[in-house]
Amino acid sequence: MKSLRFTKAKKIAVLFWAILILIPVLLPDSQYEQSLLIVCFLFAIMASGWNILSGLAGYVSLGHSVFLGVGMYTGAILGRETGVFTFYFAPIGMLTAMAFAFLLGSITLRTRSHAFVIITIAILLSVQLIVSNWVELTGGSNGIIFRSPSWARTAGNTPYYYMFLVVLVLTVALVRFIMNARLGAGFISIRDDESKAASIGINTTQYKVIAYCLSAAPYGLVGAIYSQYLGFINPTGSFSILISVYLVLAALVGGKGTLWGPVFGGFFIAFANEASTVFSGGISARVLIMGVVLVFTVMFVPQGLLVSVATMLRKRLAKDKTVEFINQAAIAERDAPLNLNNVKRAPSKAKADSSESILQVKGLYKSFGGVKAVNGVTMDIKRGSITGLIGPNGSGKTTLFNCITGTYGADSGIVIFNGTDITKMQPWTRAHMGMGRTFQITKLFKSMSVLDNLVAPLEKPSARNMLANKMQGEEVERAREILDFMGLSSFEKSNVSALSFGQQKLVEFAQILMLRPDIVMLDEPASGINPTLIERLSKAIKKLNDAGTTFLIVEHNIPLVLGLCDYIHVLSAGEIMVSGTPEEVRNNEAVIEAYLGPDTLLEGLDV
Amino acid sequence: MEIIQVLSYGILLGGLYSLLSSGLALIFGVLDIVNVAQGAFLVSGAFLTWQIWDLTGIEPILLIPVVALLWFGLGIIIYRTLFVRVAPQGPSMTVLLSFGLALIIEGALNLIFGNKFKSVQTSYSLQSYKLGEINFPAPQVIASLAAAVVLVLLYLYLMLSWAGRALRATAQNRDGAALIGISHRKISSFAYGLGMATAGAGGVLISVSYPIYPATHYEWISKLLGIIVLGGMGSIPGAIIGSMLLGIVEAAGNTYAPQWTILFFYGVIILSLLFKPEGLLGARSRKDSV
């Protein structure tokens, strides 16, 4: 069924490209049609490029056409200086646009704030101003005029038609490549949950800057061709915010985050634009209409026309399908094998030794305003142990986790992991070093399937790893095996948001095993999940621990903690109140008081 | 002497910007919406003022309460009909929605008023006050003073009224505020209305001190957004500090290198992002990870 649909989609794509290639051959007199299609190509190229940053990585840019202008002017200036046509400089236009994006991105994409969308408009206006005022280089507001090629009289638009078409094919190929690569999975994970992405080894800053550069590339490439096609450029035309409006609209109407949505949207908006010109709509009416279309799309078809139609069709098809019954109890009983090399790193030089520390926290402080969430914590986690971290709500357990994993910077104090001071390191570096953590409220990537969620983590940050196909190679085999071990293999293709909370917790656990972690930090793994799954979970923890993986567990389920852990730290008001073996902690009066109140009779309580 | 002249121009500009950017900061702080339509609200407020002045010849400053109140109501309607449906989809969709609104307003203003600069001529349009050797152009002085008055009223309202407290509570912790009985829907539309009211009042002020033209909303919005990026997105005090700083930068630019003014303006913002990405008074929030 699936392979059939795949070939069908492929057939449509081949047909689409074939028709576009053949139009000038079959219809030699189609100069007007070709010029209209050139605009379609241009919009489709821009919308697809925008899609890489704003559709996949989720960072909306409202001034993206600045890169078109950069490409246009790069080609134009080099063409003027050398006396040849501007389109020869298309590759240089592309590199210039990418370099510019790199520069801007390195400044504006470091944080996860909304400052980016704001800066994009300002950048467009600033560059327009620079180009207008730097008269010696750009010709100022008078712009630059080019001589047209000698073939223009006989061949008309056809050579340009093919140039634009080539860029469109390249752009679609680029987006397709990204979406299939782990890089693309990384972009989507940033869109879905940026801090989670960082915790599973994705260098979010680097990824965002890469997304920005890649999304600028098609603009620079097509820009240098476009300027020759126009024959004349000036700052207001090249850096018009209206172009940005069109391209955002095209991507949105078609469907952002998809491969063909922006292409479809580009054609759609180009035709709509042409129609409004034919029916004599002035520029004002056009702005008004584009605004209405944008508001309408955001309100009623936020996923885009292509996606909405596809969803409708799929629903109609799915009506006849029967729902598969999944025997969860049987799955939980079953003992799937696990090749431990798939979830662990190569054994370190020193053999696991229970007296050696894997993680040391020294004098850690973190406050929020007046609240001292972590108030001078010092602790030492032994390699190969299962250490529990308990304490009343608000005692600072999760904040301590966040400081150890780098989600927050600590105010003072140090964290040493595997002998290295990691206090100032980014979350993704810590993940690469073998630190994995789950979250109290699961943070999975909601737009992805279970399997996609598992292949998203980046164990080693190499370029080859980032560009590899996410659904091929040993990573997928590992992911399948871990899912099977967790009893989740029947949900492989399900969207994670379709799973129960407990299942999501197991998926998140499985996900961090993909990092081959030395230490696994679980934040309330058992809260809100049913006893069968808790059983599954503690089996998994024990099995991994037997193989040498260290665990640090925050949990309120006291019987589970006491049964599982070798050692327990009790946190209260941001400080470690008691540390000891389960036996010592269970009998400590201060702990009993903190948890149960001072006057509770404990004789009959079996904990 | 020139320095003092530049500084005083800058402070006058900053006073006006303070009012204009505080509404934007308010909307972002409470609603997590980057309201790109704010510039269009501002310019449409200015056009309304121009229209009324053109018909009646009334002193424009007197129209502040009228336009502000009207825009407040419009803001509530816009939020309840449009944003309330899109808000759950997150900031990347609401920013596109408000971008769409900005385009609709720009197109509509173009159709109604035409592609021509308009300006309100008052008795003080060409006057200026002199203090020693320093020149204060009257329209700027009046606009800046009126902006300060409106801003102080807004501040007192936010600090002293129940609605103001509810707003601040929601900005700090949306779920917590909902738990103690603050309806998120109501307070959100109220915040949007209030933000839009400042754009209405601001529109009146820019009509007396600037030539107005529909497409200028892009320049306004990128300036104002720049200010709140510098000040720290959701912070009104940050917006005021950012306004003053950038007002002075702009005045200096106008004096020493007029054609590059906007570039100085954005240059400061880019520099601040390099060294303090969360803005001057912005704090990194705790809600990122639970």
Side-chain angles (χ1 to χ4, degrees):
Chain A
M1 175 71 196
K2 194 184 175 210
S3 62
L4 187 80
R5 223 176 42 215
F6 180 58
T7 48
K8 208 191 271 174
K10 220 172 197 175
K11 265 185 204 157
I12 295 174
V14 170
L15 193 67
F16 174 71
W17 293 124
I19 291 175
L20 291 182
I21 291 170
L22 289 177
I23 282 178
V25 182
L26 299 178
L27 306 165
D29 291 332
S30 57
Q31 286 304 309
Y32 166 72
E33 288 78 3
Q34 286 179 36
S35 70
L36 176 55
L37 280 168
I38 286 175
V39 180
C40 292
F41 296 165
L42 180 67
F43 283 3
I45 291 163
M46 291 196 294
S48 299
W50 184 84
N51 189 36
I52 298 172
L53 177 74
S54 306
L56 296 179
Y59 270 72
V60 173
S61 163
L62 294 181
H64 226 56
S65 63
V66 71
F67 299 113
L68 183 74
V70 168
M72 286 168 84
Y73 265 90
T74 306
I77 291 166
L78 289 173
R80 187 190 58 193
E81 296 304 315
T82 56
V84 295
F85 300 120
T86 69
F87 45 72
Y88 292 125
F89 299 102
I92 299 180
M94 180 179 85
L95 292 179
T96 313
M98 289 175 79
F100 188 49
F102 177 78
L103 199 72
L104 292 175
S106 307
I107 300 169
T108 55
L109 286 167
R110 285 187 307 150
T111 58
R112 33 179 315 204
S113 72
H114 300 292
F116 178 73
V117 62
I118 290 169
I119 295 298
T120 56
I121 307 177
I123 288 166
L124 182 65
L125 297 177
S126 308
V127 174
Q128 189 187 53
L129 184 83
I130 294 173
V131 172
S132 307
N133 285 342
W134 196 346
V135 182
E136 306 84 65
L137 185 71
T138 62
S141 45
N142 293 327
I144 304 175
I145 302 172
F146 319 105
R147 65 186 172 87
S148 51
S150 50
W151 41 258
R153 276 205 204 120
T154 48
N157 287 329
T158 309
Y160 291 113
Y161 177 92
Y162 283 114
M163 287 186 220
F164 279 91
L165 184 57
V166 166
V167 179
L168 178 60
V169 172
L170 289 175
T171 307
V172 173
L174 174 72
V175 177
R176 200 181 127 88
F177 174 77
I178 293 171
M179 288 177 82
N180 287 332
R182 312 190 61 194
L183 187 66
F187 291 164
I188 295 173
S189 69
I190 289 173
R191 178 185 74 195
D192 280 4
D193 192 330
E194 196 165 338
S195 65
K196 165 77 184 194
S199 82
I200 55 164
I202 288 165
N203 181 337
T204 50
T205 310
Q206 184 193 43
Y207 268 65
K208 286 186 287 183
V209 174
I210 292 175
Y212 200 28
C213 289
L214 290 178
S215 76
Y219 286 74
L221 192 62
V222 81
I225 303 169
Y226 188 47
S227 55
Q228 185 73 55
Y229 174 68
L230 290 176
F232 162 76
I233 61 171
N234 68 356
T236 40
S238 307
F239 296 97
S240 156
I241 195 152
L242 207 60
I243 303 177
S244 287
V245 174
Y246 282 134
L247 73 95
V248 169
L249 207 53
L252 209 62
V253 167
K256 65 185 163 93
T258 65
L259 177 63
W260 290 103
V263 177
F264 170 78
F267 279 66
F268 184 89
I269 295 297
F271 279 114
N273 185 43
E274 182 66 12
S276 64
T277 309
V278 172
F279 297 111
S280 76
I283 192 91
S284 323
R286 216 174 299 172
V287 170
L288 182 66
I289 291 168
M290 294 297 159
V292 171
V293 175
L294 184 51
V295 168
F296 181 85
T297 312
V298 171
M299 296 274 301
F300 301 107
V301 270
Q303 302 203 290
L305 286 178
L306 212 58
V307 179
S308 301
V309 171
T311 316
M312 232 163 62
L313 287 177
R314 209 167 298 150
K315 260 190 196 157
R316 201 172 275 179
L317 288 175
K319 257 187 193 163
D320 310 325
K321 268 186 154 177
T322 48
V323 179
E324 210 180 319
F325 170 72
I326 295 164
N327 186 345
Q328 286 202 43
I331 291 170
E333 303 276 306
R334 204 163 62 85
D335 240 332
L338 181 68
N339 177 359
L340 290 162
N341 287 330
N342 282 342
V343 290
K344 278 182 52 59
R345 325 207 137 194
S348 54
K349 299 140 271 169
K351 196 164 168 1
D353 172 0
S354 61
S355 66
E356 187 203 355
S357 301
I358 185 167
L359 179 72
Q360 287 168 290
V361 176
K362 291 181 184 164
L364 203 74
Y365 286 86
K366 176 74 187 173
S367 41
F368 297 100
V371 182
K372 289 177 181 145
V374 175
N375 195 11
V377 167
T378 296
M379 65 181 190
D380 197 339
I381 312 294
K382 299 289 179 216
R383 187 180 297 279
S385 69
I386 302 180
T387 305
L389 191 60
I390 61 173
N393 288 324
S395 60
K397 302 181 296 290
T398 297
T399 304
L400 182 58
F401 256 44
N402 284 333
C403 290
I404 293 174
T405 56
T407 308
Y408 302 148
D411 295 341
S412 65
I414 57 173
V415 182
I416 296 171
F417 176 55
N418 269 341
T420 314
D421 183 348
I422 60 165
T423 319
K424 294 267 181 294
M425 285 183 183
Q426 296 286 3
W428 49 84
T429 317
R430 302 181 198 216
H432 299 151
M433 290 173 68
M435 181 180 274
R437 62 114 22 131
T438 65
F439 291 82
Q440 192 175 337
I441 295 161
T442 54
K443 281 169 163 278
L444 290 167
F445 304 119
K446 291 191 179 60
S447 63
M448 298 185 192
S449 71
V450 169
L451 189 62
D452 275 345
N453 262 281
L454 254 77
V455 294
L458 195 68
E459 185 201 345
K460 288 191 210 87
S462 68
R464 179 195 281 191
N465 226 346
M466 276 155 62
L467 298 179
N469 188 310
K470 65 179 180 186
M471 281 305 164
Q472 281 165 14
E474 54 107 27
E475 295 286 294
V476 182
E477 297 312 312
R478 270 176 65 205
R480 292 219 163 96
E481 189 182 324
I482 294 172
L483 280 180
D484 200 25
F485 172 66
M486 289 284 181
L488 291 164
S489 43
S490 47
F491 303 106
E492 186 186 301
K493 292 203 183 75
S494 315
N495 189 297
V496 287
S497 38
L499 267 55
S500 77
F501 186 63
Q503 288 167 330
Q504 290 188 25
K505 289 217 142 175
L506 288 183
V507 173
E508 197 174 40
F509 188 11
Q511 184 182 46
I512 59 168
L513 291 183
M514 290 294 289
L515 290 169
R516 297 185 211 256
D518 279 344
I519 188 167
V520 173
M521 299 169 58
L522 303 173
D523 197 347
E524 302 201 9
S527 74
I529 80 176
N530 69 44
T532 322
L533 290 179
I534 292 184
E535 189 54 32
R536 183 97 233 162
L537 180 81
S538 53
K539 246 194 231 168
I541 293 176
K542 274 184 197 142
K543 177 146 190 195
L544 290 164
N545 181 248
D546 284 342
T549 306
T550 310
F551 281 84
L552 179 60
I553 303 175
V554 165
E555 184 50 65
H556 283 301
N557 182 335
I558 300 298
L560 180 73
V561 173
L562 295 178
L564 211 54
C565 296
D566 315 318
Y567 202 74
I568 292 171
H569 296 285
V570 185
L571 211 59
S572 174
E575 296 174 51
I576 290 189
M577 185 170 66
V578 177
S579 303
T581 61
E583 196 58 31
E584 288 163 2
V585 167
R586 183 207 305 245
N587 297 320
N588 188 295
E589 275 177 33
V591 175
I592 294 164
E593 193 169 309
Y595 259 98
L596 302 168
D599 300 324
T600 320
L601 280 175
L602 276 164
E603 275 73 37
L605 199 67
D606 179 37
V607 285
Chain B
M1 215 69 265
E2 201 174 44
I3 291 282
I4 298 175
Q5 179 73 66
V6 165
L7 276 178
S8 41
Y9 276 144
I11 289 166
L12 287 183
L13 267 178
L16 179 61
Y17 290 169
S18 297
L19 175 64
L20 305 185
S21 58
S22 59
L24 203 57
L26 179 79
I27 290 178
F28 180 79
V30 180
L31 304 171
D32 214 15
I33 292 174
V34 179
N35 193 32
V36 185
Q38 193 81 354
F41 294 156
L42 185 69
V43 173
S44 50
F47 268 106
L48 180 66
T49 313
W50 178 86
Q51 185 64 67
I52 298 174
W53 167 81
D54 195 43
L55 290 174
T56 62
I58 188 178
E59 162 58 47
I61 296 294
L62 298 178
L63 292 171
I64 289 179
V66 181
V67 181
L69 211 64
L70 212 64
W71 259 219
F72 175 75
L74 264 178
I76 287 188
I77 294 171
I78 289 175
Y79 189 88
R80 293 210 167 168
T81 51
L82 302 176
F83 281 92
V84 87
R85 285 189 55 155
V86 182
Q89 294 172 39
S92 67
M93 287 311 261
T94 49
V95 75
L96 291 172
L97 175 61
S98 65
F99 193 42
L101 277 177
L103 295 177
I104 292 177
I105 294 170
E106 182 193 342
L109 289 179
N110 261 328
L111 289 178
I112 300 168
F113 294 100
N115 290 337
K116 272 190 196 149
F117 276 100
K118 301 262 189 275
S119 65
V120 172
Q121 297 301 322
T122 55
S123 54
Y124 49 81
S125 282
L126 298 170
Q127 282 178 9
S128 64
Y129 308 114
K130 265 192 187 305
L131 198 74
E133 284 176 47
I134 304 161
N135 231 337
F136 296 97
Q140 268 76 10
V141 173
I142 289 169
S144 192
L145 284 179
V149 170
V150 176
L151 203 54
V152 167
L153 289 176
L154 177 71
Y155 178 79
L156 290 177
Y157 185 70
L158 285 179
M159 283 301 152
L160 302 178
S161 72
W162 183 88
R165 270 208 307 279
L167 262 183
R168 285 182 290 132
T170 308
Q172 283 184 16
N173 186 339
R174 182 178 302 186
D175 298 332
L179 278 179
I180 56 166
I182 298 170
S183 152
H184 186 235
R185 197 180 121 90
K186 273 187 193 159
I187 208 71
S188 295
S189 55
F190 179 72
Y192 199 85
L194 215 53
M196 199 162 154
T198 64
V204 175
L205 298 180
I206 67 166
S207 77
V208 300
S209 44
Y210 287 86
I212 48 175
Y213 181 75
T216 51
H217 79 94
Y218 293 115
E219 280 148 49
W220 279 111
I221 193 62
S222 49
K223 260 189 199 179
L224 299 180
L225 288 170
I227 288 170
I228 68 166
V229 168
L230 178 66
M233 292 304 281
S235 154
I236 293 182
I240 294 171
I241 294 174
S243 296
M244 287 301 171
L245 223 72
L246 288 175
I248 292 167
V249 167
E250 187 178 333
N254 279 335
T255 313
Y256 301 113
Q259 60 189 143
W260 299 107
T261 303
I262 291 294
L263 224 53
F264 284 121
F265 195 94
Y266 295 134
V268 170
I269 295 161
I270 296 269
L271 271 182
S272 81
L273 277 176
L274 261 178
F275 297 108
K276 205 162 179 343
E278 64 273 20
L280 296 176
L281 294 191
R284 298 186 95 174
S285 64
R286 203 185 158 167
K287 62 186 167 192
D288 288 357
S289 44
V290 177

